[in-house]
Amino acid sequence: MTVAALATAWHAFLVSDAPVTPDCAYWAQSRLPGGWQVEMAGTQAMHDWQDWAERLLGLGAPAQQMGDPARGLHRMAFHRDGRLAAALFVGPQPVALSRSHLAAMLGGALTGALAGRPRSDMPDPGPTVCACLGVGLNTIRQAVARGCDSVASLGAVTGAGTNCGSCRPELSALLRPVPMQAAE
Ligand code: FES
């Protein structure tokens, strides 16, 4: 078997309330509490991102969009009955944004979706612990502080650990009390 790096022309991140089947060189889809998140990359330049996204999602034209086509940057938000049904972020490199924040926005208002990050006055979910469900370290710590004392209860409250399970050892570690340092 030969392994070779993929020569990518673009990267994209999508949250969607329905699963999708992108026609691109690489994609990986994982479950969220309210839908799906998809990491994608392609080897061919895309000439009409809006047309591609409309065919992929079947939601009609984007309700909001912004971008800088000369730099290969595109952002689009799509609605279903006025609520956020999908948001697509495209760039020449892996797209830097708060995946857990976007996951939490699915099914809610469209306002601010294209920012891809929480407003400065909103709680930061922290670095992602559970990639499948988009749950951050701060969210886990808050749930523990409010009384979650098992991986199962963390799953029930935050969704973390309820899909592939690979984050459960890390969830267990976050439940263990931090040992006190002995005084010198
Ligand atoms: S990373 Fe898969 S369930 Fe958490």
Side-chain angles (χ1 to χ4, degrees):
M1 184 171 71
T2 306
V3 177
L6 195 66
T8 54
W10 55 266
H11 293 255
F13 175 75
L14 171 76
V15 288
S16 169
D17 65 0
V20 296
T21 307
D23 57 344
C24 55
Y26 166 82
W27 59 282
Q29 182 161 239
S30 57
R31 197 80 172 91
L32 298 168
W36 303 83
Q37 69 176 27
V38 193
E39 301 282 353
M40 298 174 278
T43 53
Q44 305 288 324
M46 194 75 72
H47 298 295
D48 189 338
W49 277 103
Q50 180 173 337
D51 177 67
W52 186 81
E54 289 180 9
R55 285 187 288 108
L56 177 68
L57 298 166
L59 292 167
Q64 301 173 349
Q65 62 176 312
M66 60 189 279
D68 182 346
R71 295 171 57 209
L73 302 172
H74 305 268
R75 296 185 172 200
M76 299 175 207
F78 298 80
H79 79 102
R80 195 189 304 279
D81 301 326
R83 304 204 159 269
L84 183 67
L88 175 68
F89 298 78
V90 180
Q93 305 294 331
V95 186
L97 41 73
S98 173
R99 285 153 170 72
S100 52
H101 171 66
L102 284 162
M105 289 194 75
L106 268 180
L110 277 81
T111 310
L114 293 185
R117 299 183 179 284
R119 294 191 326 245
S120 57
D121 59 345
M122 289 177 68
D124 175 6
T128 300
V129 174
C130 175
C132 289
L133 279 292
V135 184
L137 179 61
N138 296 348
T139 305
I140 301 289
R141 286 189 170 144
Q142 284 159 10
V144 172
R146 289 182 187 137
C148 284
D149 57 2
S150 66
V151 171
S153 63
L154 280 175
V157 169
T158 69
T162 59
N163 191 41
C164 77
S166 66
C167 62
R168 286 181 200 150
E170 193 171 351
L171 296 177
S172 292
L174 290 168
L175 287 161
R176 280 198 288 276
V178 178
M180 300 281 286
Q181 290 270 328
E184 296 279 318

